Amino acid sequence: MRDHGGPGDVFLADCPARLAVEVIADKWSVVVVYGLSQGPRRHGELIELIGGISKKMLTQTLRRLQRYGLVDRQAYAEVPLRVEYTLTELGQSLIDPIDTLTRWAENHGEALLVAESAPE
């Protein structure tokens, strides 16, 4: 039987690893991080890139990712105000795992749809 109590144990409610999983497992977090993987983007560019996300949800997701140190927000003193979002070093460290997850999703997405529509 596995000992649940060491550092990085996602089974513990107060484990930092569990918090990390919760932050990136949010519906939009991975998509937004992946959208920023090619470089800085403005809010409107992300809206155009990410199908199905509302402006409000994008704003909330970006703020959450900022709060956890994955995204940086840079406002430029221009008229009109220009704001760009970029990945921090910590955010960049998610790109390889997201690439792996994306490849898995592309390879198995159809199987998930088939399983979902199968009679119980």
Side-chain angles (χ1 to χ4, degrees):
M1 184 166 183
R2 185 166 182 257
D3 174 28
H4 298 291
D9 188 338
V10 297
F11 292 104
L12 298 175
D14 61 349
C15 174
R18 185 160 167 184
L19 173 63
V21 169
E22 289 174 9
V23 170
I24 62 172
D26 172 83
K27 178 178 180 178
W28 295 108
S29 292
V30 169
V31 178
V32 171
V33 169
Y34 200 62
L36 292 171
S37 67
Q38 300 300 310
R41 293 193 191 260
R42 297 174 74 169
H43 194 275
E45 292 172 321
L46 288 167
I47 287 288
E48 289 179 19
L49 180 66
I50 302 169
I53 193 168
S54 69
K55 291 179 181 181
K56 179 181 178 182
M57 184 53 64
L58 177 58
T59 299
Q60 290 174 350
T61 302
L62 287 166
R63 285 182 181 157
R64 186 165 196 245
L65 293 172
Q66 280 180 263
R67 183 171 54 249
Y68 289 107
L70 298 169
V71 169
D72 186 39
R73 179 184 184 272
Q74 178 68 47
Y76 295 91
E78 299 175 359
V79 178
L81 180 67
R82 179 170 57 106
V83 176
E84 289 184 340
Y85 297 91
T86 57
L87 293 177
T88 63
E89 188 175 328
L90 184 60
Q92 286 285 344
S93 71
L94 273 173
I95 300 306
D96 284 342
I98 289 173
D99 280 339
T100 300
L101 181 60
T102 300
R103 281 192 304 278
W104 183 91
E106 289 169 348
N107 290 330
H108 301 287
E110 188 67 34
L112 294 174
L113 290 174
V114 168
E116 177 187 40
S117 63
E120 292 186 26

Coordinates of all heavy atoms in Angstrom, one line a residue, residues 47-108:
I47 N -8.8 36.0 -27.9 CA -10.2 35.8 -28.2 C -10.4 35.2 -29.6 O -11.1 34.2 -29.8 CB -11.1 37.1 -28.0 CG1 -11.2 37.5 -26.6 CG2 -12.4 37.0 -28.7 CD1 -12.1 36.6 -25.8
E48 N -9.7 35.8 -30.5 CA -9.8 35.3 -31.9 C -9.2 33.9 -32.0 O -9.7 33.0 -32.8 CB -9.1 36.2 -32.9 CG -9.8 37.5 -33.1 CD -9.0 38.5 -34.0 OE1 -8.2 38.0 -34.8 OE2 -9.3 39.7 -34.0
L49 N -8.1 33.6 -31.3 CA -7.4 32.3 -31.4 C -8.2 31.2 -30.7 O -8.3 30.1 -31.3 CB -6.1 32.5 -30.7 CG -5.2 31.2 -30.7 CD1 -4.7 30.9 -32.1 CD2 -3.9 31.5 -29.9
I50 N -8.8 31.5 -29.6 CA -9.4 30.4 -28.8 C -10.9 30.4 -29.0 O -11.7 31.2 -28.5 CB -9.1 30.7 -27.3 CG1 -7.6 30.7 -27.0 CG2 -9.8 29.6 -26.4 CD1 -7.2 31.2 -25.7
G51 N -11.4 29.5 -29.8 CA -12.8 29.3 -30.0 C -13.6 29.0 -28.8 O -13.2 28.1 -28.0
G52 N -14.7 29.7 -28.6 CA -15.7 29.4 -27.5 C -15.4 30.0 -26.2 O -16.2 29.9 -25.3
I53 N -14.3 30.8 -26.0 CA -14.1 31.4 -24.8 C -14.7 32.9 -24.8 O -14.5 33.5 -25.8 CB -12.6 31.5 -24.4 CG1 -12.4 31.9 -22.9 CG2 -11.8 32.4 -25.3 CD1 -11.0 31.7 -22.4
S54 N -15.4 33.3 -23.8 CA -15.9 34.6 -23.7 C -14.8 35.6 -23.3 O -13.8 35.2 -22.7 CB -17.1 34.7 -22.8 OG -16.7 34.5 -21.4
K55 N -15.1 36.9 -23.5 CA -14.1 37.9 -23.0 C -14.0 37.8 -21.5 O -12.9 37.9 -21.0 CB -14.6 39.3 -23.5 CG -14.5 39.5 -25.0 CD -14.9 40.9 -25.4 CE -14.9 41.0 -26.9 NZ -15.3 42.4 -27.3
K56 N -15.1 37.7 -20.8 CA -15.1 37.6 -19.4 C -14.3 36.4 -18.9 O -13.5 36.5 -18.0 CB -16.5 37.6 -18.8 CG -16.6 37.5 -17.3 CD -18.0 37.4 -16.9 CE -18.1 37.3 -15.4 NZ -19.5 37.2 -14.9
M57 N -14.5 35.3 -19.5 CA -13.8 34.0 -19.0 C -12.3 34.1 -19.3 O -11.5 33.7 -18.5 CB -14.4 32.8 -19.7 CG -13.8 31.5 -19.2 SD -13.8 31.3 -17.4 CE -15.5 31.2 -17.1
L58 N -12.0 34.7 -20.5 CA -10.5 34.9 -20.8 C -9.9 35.8 -19.8 O -8.8 35.5 -19.3 CB -10.4 35.5 -22.2 CG -8.9 35.8 -22.6 CD1 -8.0 34.5 -22.5 CD2 -8.9 36.4 -24.0
T59 N -10.6 36.9 -19.4 CA -10.0 37.8 -18.4 C -9.8 37.1 -17.1 O -8.8 37.3 -16.5 CB -11.0 39.1 -18.3 OG1 -11.0 39.8 -19.5 CG2 -10.5 40.0 -17.2
Q60 N -10.8 36.4 -16.7 CA -10.7 35.6 -15.4 C -9.6 34.6 -15.4 O -8.8 34.5 -14.5 CB -12.0 34.9 -15.1 CG -13.1 35.9 -14.7 CD -14.5 35.1 -14.5 OE1 -14.6 34.0 -14.9 NE2 -15.5 35.9 -14.0
T61 N -9.4 33.9 -16.6 CA -8.4 32.9 -16.7 C -7.0 33.6 -16.7 O -6.1 33.1 -16.0 CB -8.6 32.1 -18.0 OG1 -9.9 31.5 -17.9 CG2 -7.5 31.0 -18.1
L62 N -6.9 34.7 -17.4 CA -5.6 35.4 -17.4 C -5.2 35.9 -16.0 O -4.0 35.8 -15.6 CB -5.6 36.5 -18.4 CG -5.6 36.1 -19.9 CD1 -5.9 37.3 -20.8 CD2 -4.2 35.6 -20.3
R63 N -6.2 36.4 -15.3 CA -5.9 36.9 -13.9 C -5.5 35.7 -13.0 O -4.6 35.9 -12.2 CB -7.1 37.6 -13.4 CG -7.4 39.0 -14.0 CD -8.6 39.7 -13.4 NE -8.8 41.0 -14.0 CZ -9.9 41.6 -14.0 NH1 -11.0 41.1 -13.5 NH2 -10.0 42.8 -14.6
R64 N -6.2 34.6 -13.2 CA -5.8 33.5 -12.3 C -4.4 33.0 -12.7 O -3.6 32.7 -11.8 CB -6.8 32.4 -12.6 CG -6.6 31.2 -11.7 CD -7.9 30.3 -11.7 NE -7.9 29.4 -10.6 CZ -7.8 28.1 -10.7 NH1 -7.7 27.5 -11.9 NH2 -7.8 27.3 -9.6
L65 N -4.1 32.9 -14.0 CA -2.7 32.5 -14.4 C -1.7 33.5 -13.9 O -0.6 33.1 -13.6 CB -2.7 32.3 -15.9 CG -3.5 31.1 -16.4 CD1 -3.6 31.1 -17.9 CD2 -3.0 29.8 -15.9
Q66 N -2.0 34.7 -13.9 CA -1.1 35.8 -13.4 C -0.9 35.6 -11.9 O 0.3 35.6 -11.4 CB -1.7 37.2 -13.6 CG -1.5 37.8 -14.9 CD -2.2 39.1 -14.9 OE1 -3.3 39.3 -15.4 NE2 -1.4 40.1 -14.5
R67 N -2.0 35.4 -11.2 CA -1.9 35.2 -9.7 C -1.0 34.0 -9.3 O -0.3 34.1 -8.3 CB -3.3 35.0 -9.1 CG -3.3 34.8 -7.6 CD -4.8 34.8 -7.0 NE -5.6 33.8 -7.6 CZ -6.7 34.0 -8.4 NH1 -7.0 35.3 -8.7 NH2 -7.4 33.1 -8.8
Y68 N -0.9 33.0 -10.1 CA -0.1 31.8 -9.8 C 1.3 31.9 -10.5 O 2.0 30.9 -10.5 CB -0.8 30.5 -10.1 CG -2.0 30.3 -9.2 CD1 -3.3 30.5 -9.5 CD2 -1.7 30.0 -7.8 CE1 -4.3 30.2 -8.6 CE2 -2.7 29.8 -6.9 CZ -4.0 29.9 -7.3 OH -5.0 29.7 -6.4
G69 N 1.6 33.0 -11.1 CA 2.9 33.2 -11.7 C 3.2 32.5 -13.0 O 4.4 32.4 -13.4
L70 N 2.1 32.2 -13.8 CA 2.3 31.5 -15.1 C 2.3 32.5 -16.2 O 2.9 32.3 -17.3 CB 1.3 30.5 -15.3 CG 1.3 29.3 -14.2 CD1 0.0 28.5 -14.4 CD2 2.5 28.5 -14.4
V71 N 1.6 33.7 -16.0 CA 1.5 34.7 -17.1 C 1.9 36.0 -16.5 O 1.6 36.3 -15.4 CB 0.0 34.7 -17.6 CG1 -0.3 35.9 -18.5 CG2 -0.3 33.4 -18.3
D72 N 2.5 36.8 -17.4 CA 2.8 38.2 -17.1 C 2.0 39.1 -17.9 O 1.7 38.9 -19.1 CB 4.3 38.4 -17.3 CG 4.8 39.8 -16.8 OD1 4.3 40.3 -15.8 OD2 5.6 40.4 -17.5
R73 N 1.5 40.2 -17.3 CA 0.7 41.2 -18.0 C 1.6 42.5 -18.1 O 2.1 43.0 -17.1 CB -0.6 41.5 -17.2 CG -1.4 42.6 -17.9 CD -2.6 42.8 -16.9 NE -3.6 43.8 -17.5 CZ -3.5 45.1 -17.4 NH1 -2.5 45.6 -16.7 NH2 -4.4 45.8 -17.9
Q74 N 1.7 43.0 -19.4 CA 2.5 44.2 -19.6 C 1.6 45.2 -20.3 O 1.1 45.0 -21.3 CB 3.7 43.9 -20.5 CG 4.6 45.0 -20.9 CD 5.3 45.6 -19.7 OE1 5.9 44.8 -18.9 NE2 5.3 46.9 -19.5
A75 N 1.4 46.3 -19.6 CA 0.6 47.4 -20.1 C 1.6 48.5 -20.6 O 2.6 48.9 -19.9 CB -0.3 48.0 -19.0
Y76 N 1.4 49.0 -21.8 CA 2.2 50.0 -22.4 C 1.5 51.3 -22.4 O 0.3 51.4 -22.7 CB 2.5 49.6 -23.9 CG 3.4 48.3 -24.0 CD1 2.7 47.1 -24.1 CD2 4.7 48.4 -23.9 CE1 3.5 45.9 -24.1 CE2 5.5 47.2 -24.0 CZ 4.8 46.0 -24.1 OH 5.6 44.8 -24.1
A77 N 2.2 52.4 -22.0 CA 1.7 53.7 -21.9 C 1.5 54.3 -23.3 O 2.2 55.2 -23.7 CB 2.6 54.6 -21.1
E78 N 0.5 53.8 -24.0 CA 0.1 54.3 -25.3 C -1.4 54.7 -25.3 O -2.1 54.3 -24.5 CB 0.4 53.2 -26.4 CG 1.8 52.8 -26.4 CD 2.0 51.6 -27.4 OE1 1.0 51.1 -28.0 OE2 3.1 51.1 -27.5
V79 N -1.7 55.4 -26.3 CA -3.2 55.7 -26.5 C -3.5 55.2 -27.9 O -3.0 55.6 -28.9 CB -3.4 57.3 -26.5 CG1 -4.9 57.6 -26.7 CG2 -2.9 57.8 -25.2
P80 N -4.5 54.2 -27.9 CA -5.1 53.6 -26.8 C -4.1 52.7 -26.0 O -3.1 52.2 -26.6 CB -6.3 52.8 -27.4 CG -5.8 52.5 -28.8 CD -4.9 53.6 -29.2
L81 N -4.5 52.3 -24.8 CA -3.7 51.5 -24.0 C -3.5 50.1 -24.6 O -4.4 49.5 -25.2 CB -4.3 51.3 -22.6 CG -3.6 50.4 -21.6 CD1 -2.3 51.1 -21.2 CD2 -4.4 50.1 -20.4
R82 N -2.2 49.7 -24.7 CA -1.9 48.4 -25.2 C -1.4 47.4 -24.1 O -0.6 47.8 -23.3 CB -0.8 48.5 -26.3 CG -0.4 47.1 -26.9 CD 0.5 47.3 -28.1 NE 1.7 48.0 -27.8 CZ 2.9 47.5 -27.7 NH1 3.0 46.2 -27.9 NH2 4.0 48.2 -27.5
V83 N -2.1 46.3 -24.0 CA -1.7 45.3 -23.0 C -1.4 44.0 -23.7 O -2.1 43.5 -24.5 CB -2.9 45.1 -22.0 CG1 -2.5 44.0 -21.0 CG2 -3.2 46.4 -21.3
E84 N -0.2 43.4 -23.3 CA 0.2 42.1 -23.8 C 0.4 41.1 -22.7 O 0.8 41.5 -21.6 CB 1.5 42.3 -24.6 CG 1.3 43.0 -25.9 CD 2.6 43.0 -26.7 OE1 3.7 42.8 -26.2 OE2 2.5 43.2 -27.9
Y85 N 0.1 39.9 -23.0 CA 0.3 38.8 -22.1 C 1.4 37.9 -22.6 O 1.4 37.6 -23.8 CB -1.0 38.0 -21.9 CG -2.1 38.9 -21.3 CD1 -3.0 39.6 -22.1 CD2 -2.3 39.0 -19.9 CE1 -4.0 40.4 -21.5 CE2 -3.2 39.8 -19.3 CZ -4.1 40.5 -20.2 OH -5.0 41.3 -19.6
T86 N 2.2 37.5 -21.7 CA 3.3 36.6 -22.0 C 3.4 35.5 -20.9 O 3.0 35.7 -19.8 CB 4.7 37.3 -22.2 OG1 5.0 37.9 -20.9 CG2 4.7 38.2 -23.3
L87 N 4.0 34.4 -21.3 CA 4.3 33.4 -20.3 C 5.5 33.7 -19.5 O 6.5 34.2 -20.1 CB 4.5 32.0 -21.0 CG 3.3 31.4 -21.7 CD1 3.7 30.1 -22.3 CD2 2.2 31.1 -20.7
T88 N 5.5 33.5 -18.2 CA 6.6 33.6 -17.4 C 7.5 32.4 -17.6 O 7.1 31.4 -18.4 CB 6.3 33.7 -15.9 OG1 5.6 32.4 -15.6 CG2 5.3 34.9 -15.7
E89 N 8.6 32.3 -17.0 CA 9.5 31.1 -17.1 C 8.7 29.9 -16.6 O 8.8 28.8 -17.1 CB 10.8 31.3 -16.3 CG 11.8 30.3 -16.4 CD 13.1 30.6 -15.7 OE1 13.5 31.7 -15.6 OE2 13.8 29.6 -15.3
L90 N 8.0 30.1 -15.5 CA 7.2 29.0 -14.9 C 6.1 28.6 -15.9 O 5.9 27.4 -16.1 CB 6.5 29.4 -13.6 CG 5.7 28.4 -12.9 CD1 6.6 27.2 -12.5 CD2 5.1 29.0 -11.6
G91 N 5.5 29.5 -16.6 CA 4.5 29.2 -17.6 C 5.1 28.5 -18.8 O 4.5 27.5 -19.3
Q92 N 6.3 28.9 -19.2 CA 7.0 28.2 -20.3 C 7.3 26.8 -20.0 O 7.3 25.9 -20.8 CB 8.3 29.0 -20.6 CG 8.2 30.3 -21.3 CD 7.8 30.1 -22.8 OE1 8.0 29.0 -23.4 NE2 7.4 31.2 -23.4
S93 N 7.5 26.5 -18.7 CA 7.8 25.1 -18.3 C 6.6 24.2 -18.5 O 6.8 22.9 -18.5 CB 8.3 25.1 -16.8 OG 7.2 25.3 -15.9
L94 N 5.5 24.7 -18.8 CA 4.3 23.9 -19.0 C 4.2 23.5 -20.5 O 3.4 22.6 -20.8 CB 3.0 24.6 -18.6 CG 2.5 24.6 -17.2 CD1 1.4 25.5 -17.0 CD2 2.1 23.1 -16.9
I95 N 4.9 24.1 -21.4 CA 4.7 23.8 -22.8 C 5.0 22.4 -23.2 O 4.2 21.8 -23.9 CB 5.6 24.8 -23.7 CG1 5.2 26.3 -23.4 CG2 5.5 24.5 -25.1 CD1 3.7 26.6 -23.5
D96 N 6.0 21.8 -22.7 CA 6.3 20.4 -23.1 C 5.2 19.4 -22.6 O 4.7 18.6 -23.4 CB 7.7 19.9 -22.6 CG 8.8 20.5 -23.4 OD1 8.6 20.9 -24.6 OD2 10.0 20.5 -22.9
P97 N 4.8 19.6 -21.3 CA 3.7 18.7 -20.9 C 2.4 19.0 -21.7 O 1.6 18.0 -22.0 CB 3.5 19.1 -19.4 CG 4.8 19.6 -19.0 CD 5.4 20.3 -20.2
I98 N 2.1 20.2 -22.0 CA 0.9 20.5 -22.8 C 1.0 20.0 -24.2 O 0.0 19.5 -24.8 CB 0.6 22.1 -22.8 CG1 0.2 22.5 -21.4 CG2 -0.4 22.4 -23.9 CD1 0.0 24.0 -21.3
D99 N 2.2 20.0 -24.8 CA 2.4 19.4 -26.1 C 2.1 17.9 -26.1 O 1.4 17.4 -27.0 CB 3.8 19.6 -26.6 CG 4.1 21.0 -27.2 OD1 3.1 21.6 -27.6 OD2 5.3 21.4 -27.2
T100 N 2.5 17.2 -25.0 CA 2.3 15.8 -24.9 C 0.8 15.6 -24.7 O 0.2 14.7 -25.4 CB 3.0 15.3 -23.7 OG1 4.4 15.5 -23.9 CG2 2.8 13.8 -23.4
L101 N 0.1 16.4 -23.9 CA -1.3 16.2 -23.7 C -2.1 16.5 -25.0 O -3.1 15.8 -25.3 CB -1.8 17.2 -22.6 CG -3.2 17.2 -22.2 CD1 -3.7 15.8 -21.7 CD2 -3.5 18.2 -21.1
T102 N -1.7 17.5 -25.7 CA -2.3 17.9 -27.0 C -2.2 16.7 -28.0 O -3.2 16.4 -28.7 CB -1.7 19.2 -27.6 OG1 -1.9 20.2 -26.6 CG2 -2.4 19.5 -28.9
R103 N -1.0 16.1 -28.1 CA -0.9 15.0 -29.0 C -1.8 13.8 -28.6 O -2.4 13.2 -29.4 CB 0.6 14.5 -29.0 CG 1.5 15.4 -29.9 CD 2.8 14.8 -30.2 NE 3.6 14.5 -29.0 CZ 4.3 15.3 -28.3 NH1 4.4 16.6 -28.7 NH2 4.9 14.9 -27.2
W104 N -1.8 13.6 -27.3 CA -2.7 12.5 -26.8 C -4.2 12.8 -27.1 O -4.9 11.9 -27.6 CB -2.6 12.4 -25.2 CG -3.4 11.2 -24.7 CD1 -3.0 9.9 -24.6 CD2 -4.8 11.3 -24.3 NE1 -4.1 9.2 -24.1 CE2 -5.2 10.0 -23.9 CE3 -5.8 12.3 -24.2 CZ2 -6.5 9.7 -23.5 CZ3 -7.0 12.0 -23.8 CH2 -7.4 10.7 -23.4
A105 N -4.6 14.1 -26.9 CA -6.0 14.5 -27.2 C -6.3 14.3 -28.7 O -7.3 13.9 -29.1 CB -6.2 15.9 -26.8
E106 N -5.3 14.7 -29.6 CA -5.5 14.6 -31.0 C -5.6 13.1 -31.4 O -6.4 12.8 -32.3 CB -4.4 15.3 -31.8 CG -4.4 16.8 -31.7 CD -3.2 17.5 -32.2 OE1 -2.1 16.8 -32.4 OE2 -3.2 18.7 -32.3
N107 N -4.8 12.2 -30.8 CA -4.8 10.8 -31.1 C -6.1 10.1 -30.5 O -6.4 9.0 -31.1 CB -3.6 10.1 -30.6 CG -2.3 10.6 -31.4 OD1 -2.4 10.9 -32.6 ND2 -1.2 10.6 -30.8
H108 N -6.6 10.6 -29.5 CA -7.7 9.8 -28.8 C -9.0 10.6 -28.6 O -10.0 10.0 -28.1 CB -7.2 9.4 -27.4 CG -6.0 8.6 -27.4 ND1 -6.0 7.2 -27.9 CD2 -4.7 8.8 -27.2 CE1 -4.7 6.8 -27.8 NE2 -3.9 7.7 -27.4

